Amino acid sequence: MKLSINKSRSLWWTISAAIILSGIISMVISWQTPSIKAPLRPSLDFIGGTRLQLVRDCSLPNNCDTPIDINAVREVAKEQGLGDSSIQLISEDGKDNGITIRTKNLETDQRTKLQNALSEKIGTFDPQKNQIDSVGPTLGRELFTSGVLALVVSFVLITVYMTFRFQLDYALFAIVALFHDILVTVGAFSILGLVAGKEVDSLFIVALLTITGFSVNDTVVIYDRIRETLKINPERPIAEIVDDAVNQTLTRSINTTLTTLLTLTAIFLFGGETLHNFSLALIIGFIMGAYSSIFIASTLLTWWRERTEKSPLSAIDTSVSSQDS
């Protein structure tokens, strides 16, 4: 079956616009949410502070009979002077048997006092499952600045490379496709931050950089085929050339994406909590990278060339007219 992607390019652009718009709306809502105050729910890596993850010990009799009341946890936090803390429940064995508290930097005695007060209120915690992380606010700002700078530099270098390798319009639409993939991934995590409490950490920046590399690689393969065909048959309509290039590289793109997704899915399922969000971001970004290379970067190039380039017949007519005059 041969795809004619340019016939339905308005559909592909509409789908992408709807996905990106929903992500932008989510980021605005997230920014207005008092407990987040950012487009994405930031982890301690970026804002600094202390995060306590406490899970009840269900091996003790009657310790996990009732689910944790989040209002009771908030009351304890207020009593400790931590009323503005972000508190979430953790599901353990299908029940709400754990809590995550993200708050300002706490000293060791403050953490101990808070943990003891919570233990008296909602049950004894399992020391083997408890986690405590602390990050200074200065380090968090440095991580954020370095991550954003790395993304900007990568975009500039990719633009320079694509311009020398192809032409400026190729480079610009490849960058548009990259922005598409980044915006979709960021928007998805903004939605997940509101709905499921997903946080982004320094590994999320690494994931975005990885997505840019994967996406531009897929786009280069298609653009390379378009350029080769244009050299051989410059008189053919650009829409036909692009459709053929996409169809000739489609199997490679699908196979590359699927094999990569199988590995990422395994990491997502069995890689542990540290790599969970990282692998999820890559899964979303790689799917969007394949989509944008096929349906966005290629169709935008077609649209632009159709608008800016004269047809061969028009060029001949112009040449004849100038000779007659």
Side-chain angles (χ1 to χ4, degrees), residues 64-325:
C64 299
D65 288 349
T66 58
I68 294 176
D69 183 1
I70 194 169
N71 292 321
V73 178
R74 289 197 176 100
E75 288 179 7
V76 173
K78 287 180 180 179
E79 292 172 0
Q80 301 293 320
L82 306 172
D84 58 347
S85 302
S86 174
I87 302 171
Q88 292 178 291
L89 296 178
I90 300 175
S91 180
E92 179 81 7
D93 299 327
K95 296 181 180 180
D96 292 333
N97 286 323
I99 54 173
T100 296
I101 301 175
R102 190 176 63 186
T103 185
K104 62 183 180 181
N105 280 311
L106 300 178
E107 300 294 335
T108 303
D109 58 335
Q110 292 176 303
R111 296 199 299 261
T112 303
K113 188 177 179 181
L114 174 61
Q115 186 171 341
N116 291 338
L118 288 169
S119 181
E120 293 177 3
K121 194 77 172 181
I122 61 177
T124 304
F125 298 113
D126 186 349
Q128 301 298 323
K129 296 180 180 180
N130 295 343
Q131 297 180 17
I132 300 176
D133 304 309
S134 293
V135 176
T138 302
L139 178 59
R141 286 193 296 269
E142 290 177 355
L143 285 171
F144 178 77
T145 303
S146 300
V148 172
L149 180 61
L151 277 174
V152 172
V153 170
S154 69
F155 277 117
V156 172
L157 293 178
I158 288 171
T159 303
V160 173
Y161 166 75
M162 293 290 288
T163 302
F164 279 99
R165 175 77 182 270
F166 299 98
Q167 294 178 21
L168 182 58
D169 55 354
Y170 285 83
L172 291 177
F173 293 126
I175 291 299
V176 170
L178 289 181
F179 271 115
H180 169 278
D181 303 337
I182 297 299
L183 281 174
V184 171
T185 305
V186 171
F189 266 77
S190 178
I191 295 172
L192 291 172
L194 288 174
V195 175
K198 290 285 184 183
E199 298 178 346
V200 296
D201 54 15
S202 55
L203 282 179
F204 184 73
I205 301 294
V206 177
L208 295 183
L209 290 168
T210 308
I211 290 167
T212 60
F214 179 87
S215 178
V216 76
N217 177 69
D218 228 12
T219 303
V220 164
V221 172
I222 297 175
Y223 278 179
D224 216 19
R225 191 60 56 90
I226 294 172
R227 183 181 60 175
E228 291 174 1
T229 308
L230 276 172
K231 288 180 179 179
I232 299 172
N233 300 303
E235 73 285 349
R236 287 186 64 192
I238 185 65
E240 292 183 8
I241 292 175
V242 171
D243 283 349
D244 285 348
V246 168
N247 281 281
Q248 291 167 16
T249 58
L250 186 61
T251 301
R252 175 201 175 279
S253 297
I254 292 175
N255 288 340
T256 301
T257 303
L258 283 179
T259 52
T260 307
L261 288 177
L262 289 174
T263 304
L264 291 174
T265 302
I267 296 174
F268 176 78
L269 295 175
F270 309 110
E273 187 66 27
T274 304
L275 297 176
H276 192 268
N277 290 347
F278 173 71
S279 57
L280 179 59
L282 288 181
I283 289 171
I284 296 171
F286 281 19
I287 292 174
M288 287 297 104
Y291 176 86
S292 67
S293 297
I294 297 170
F295 298 105
I296 304 300
S298 301
T299 55
L300 284 174
L301 181 65
T302 304
W303 168 80
W304 178 254
R305 289 296 178 94
E306 287 176 345
R307 286 176 58 89
T308 57
E309 290 189 350
K310 294 180 180 180
S311 67
L313 290 177
S314 299
I316 293 172
D317 291 342
T318 304
S319 176
V320 171
S321 298
S322 62
Q323 290 176 5
D324 290 342
S325 60

